Amino acid sequence: MHEMSLCESILDILKDQAARDSFTRVKRVSVDIGPLSCVEPEALRFGFDVVMKGSLAEGAALEISRPPAEALCLSCFRTVPVEERFDTCPECGSEALQVVGGEELKIRELEVV
Amino acid sequence: MCTLCGCGESHDHKHDLGHDHDHGEGHVHFGDGAAGVSVAGMSQSRLIRLEADILDKNRSYADRNRALLAGKGVLALNLVSSPGSGKTMLLVETLKQLAGRIPAAVIEGDQQTSNDADRIRETGAPALQINTGKGCHLDAHMVGHALEKLSLERQSILFIENVGNLVCPAGFDLGEACKVVILSVTEGEDKPLKYPDIFARADLMILTKTDLLPHVDFSVAAAVANARRINRKIQVLQLSARTGEGMDGWLAWLDAARTMSAGGPQEIAAE
């Protein structure tokens, strides 16, 4: 459950941002969680509610976007969609893929009051 | 309060972990943090675009650890595996072989107990136990505090034994030179496919307990092929810490990696 400590990192970022942008409550947190980021969205959702309790983001909505996982094929040099790290290139069948997208783990937007 | 990062960790911090004991030197506790409190306000809502990486804070601690280690020419390795893969046994045997030749120290990560650090200290190497409490992995902040307490010799090797877990430690950079993933032959050879993130981020895979190969249905070739499907560049070593078979290869790997992180053979000779 490292999602729990990621939620604590999110809360740290919210507190820092609250001081910087002078807000007192967070109503929504929008995050990008790549499919290859080793984070389980449901576990993050669970951890979020628990960690935000009693904070400036208690009851805030967590909106999770899933950017696509993509890899560069080192054989045919095309950028191709993948689902897993061990996928083969859907264009040429090569196993020589280098992941270039899908590892995102970031806060994209906040709705605050 | 900690002067390094501003956190509340100190020698006299309070325990919320359901235990009460004097842990003295060589022991750090985490996992008792709670969410902060703030007062709700009433005003119009607005949007703030952030693009803030959730792991940024960990990364900045990791960078700080890496700079500190580089300054001393220390080779730091983050050892990751399932529980029971033989990490501590491998470390104990490794430290015995390094003794008198290459200085080494160990940071042990476990949820509870100092058993592993105790085992390491019996070899004469300095060891510091981090108890993560409910935490399932070490993070760079914990390791930063451990580095404050551990006196590291110049151009030594620091082994960081992560919490036994093939999932959570994958995402947390500790400031190490590289991750070493340990897989014992009593586990499944498809573990690299089941837990790809950790194998994708490791430079070296060590297959341990190879003395048991005649007794188990474990195909070394299949395990290596699976690891290379995830990570084409991963290096592989096979050994048995119990019989000593294959330990030479591991010690040679350590020598080469240490020479690189210490700034070359001339630097080491000059010491």
Side-chain angles (χ1 to χ4, degrees):
Chain A
M1 263 302 266
H2 62 298
E3 284 82 0
M4 207 73 163
S5 55
L6 293 177
C7 289
E8 282 171 5
S9 297
I10 292 176
L11 181 57
D12 280 344
I13 294 171
L14 297 182
K15 286 184 194 166
D16 288 350
Q17 205 63 35
R20 204 170 303 155
D21 279 330
S22 0
F23 57 83
T24 51
R25 248 196 116 59
V26 180
K27 287 170 74 178
R28 174 171 56 84
V29 179
S30 298
V31 294
D32 285 345
I33 304 296
L36 303 179
S37 66
C38 53
V39 168
E40 193 47 47
E42 280 317 305
L44 191 73
R45 219 176 267 291
F46 172 78
F48 186 84
D49 291 342
V50 174
V51 171
M52 299 306 152
K53 208 159 229 156
S55 81
L56 74 170
E58 175 160 2
L62 178 67
E63 187 183 86
I64 301 178
S65 299
R66 306 282 276 165
E70 291 178 324
L72 173 68
C73 174
L74 301 176
S75 297
C76 71
F77 297 105
R78 275 180 275 221
T79 301
V80 294
V82 289
E83 281 178 15
E84 303 288 353
R85 287 188 186 276
F86 49 78
D87 280 355
T88 52
C89 175
E91 300 288 338
C92 74
S94 168
E95 288 186 359
L97 294 184
Q98 191 176 325
V99 171
V100 293
E103 294 182 314
E104 299 81 358
L105 203 54
K106 63 183 184 192
I107 304 179
R108 193 169 17 86
E109 193 177 76
L110 304 177
E111 185 181 340
V112 301
V113 288
Chain B
M1 185 163 94
C2 166
T3 50
L4 186 75
C5 55
C7 78
E9 295 300 332
S10 69
H11 294 280
D12 54 358
H13 61 272
K14 201 170 118 278
H15 285 273
D16 285 332
L17 296 172
H19 65 264
D20 182 21
H21 62 110
D22 182 4
H23 47 68
E25 281 301 300
H27 212 131
V28 189
H29 283 280
F30 285 90
D32 52 356
V37 180
S38 71
V39 183
M42 290 287 284
S43 62
Q44 222 171 6
S45 79
R46 60 195 160 107
L47 295 180
I48 297 175
R49 285 200 70 80
L50 261 190
E51 302 290 334
D53 196 306
I54 296 168
L55 285 171
D56 257 358
K57 206 161 201 174
N58 185 70
R59 205 161 290 138
S60 69
Y61 290 131
D63 288 346
R64 200 180 298 175
N65 295 346
R66 191 167 281 116
L68 190 146
L69 293 163
K72 291 186 171 178
V74 173
L75 169 68
L77 301 174
N78 180 358
L79 307 185
V80 289
S81 81
S82 316
S85 67
K87 280 195 301 295
T88 312
M89 169 85 171
L90 172 61
L91 268 182
V92 166
E93 290 308 311
T94 304
L95 292 166
K96 282 185 194 164
Q97 307 244 4
L98 293 178
R101 202 163 63 82
I102 297 176
V106 178
I107 294 175
E108 282 287 342
D110 282 300
Q111 286 198 319
Q112 297 296 348
T113 83
S114 63
N115 295 354
D116 282 1
D118 296 343
R119 273 173 75 186
I120 296 293
R121 281 190 209 112
E122 283 171 15
T123 70
L128 192 131
Q129 180 81 47
I130 297 178
N131 281 150
T132 58
K134 302 289 174 236
C136 47
H137 59 273
L138 293 177
D139 63 35
H141 177 225
M142 299 172 180
V143 170
H145 280 297
L147 290 175
E148 286 173 2
K149 291 194 174 182
L150 203 57
S151 53
L152 287 174
E153 284 190 48
R154 289 189 64 78
Q155 300 177 330
S156 58
I157 302 179
L158 172 65
F159 297 98
I160 306 171
E161 187 181 335
N162 217 315
V163 178
N165 178 344
L166 278 178
V167 183
C168 309
F172 295 84
D173 181 6
L174 306 180
E176 71 271 6
C178 67
K179 287 187 177 63
V180 175
V181 62
I182 294 164
L183 179 62
S184 65
V185 303
T186 54
E187 301 171 60
E189 61 218 6
D190 56 353
K191 274 214 171 147
L193 303 182
K194 287 178 170 169
Y195 303 97
D197 296 314
I198 204 123
F199 286 86
R201 289 168 166 87
D203 285 14
L204 173 67
M205 172 171 81
I206 303 180
L207 297 178
T208 55
K209 307 188 188 179
T210 53
D211 53 305
L212 296 177
L213 274 173
H215 312 291
V216 292
D217 294 325
F218 183 92
S219 159
V220 170
V224 173
N226 287 336
R228 296 235 159 99
R229 271 182 76 184
I230 301 299
N231 179 348
R232 291 165 59 241
K233 293 181 187 159
I234 198 165
Q235 303 170 64
V236 181
L237 291 172
Q238 301 176 45
L239 57 82
S240 162
R242 201 166 70 88
T243 66
E245 191 188 1
M247 286 293 285
D248 288 354
W250 163 233
L251 294 167
W253 188 94
L254 285 173
D255 258 336
R258 172 174 169 262
T259 305
M260 278 197 345
S261 68
Q266 296 88 343
E267 283 290 322
I268 287 183
E271 278 291 306

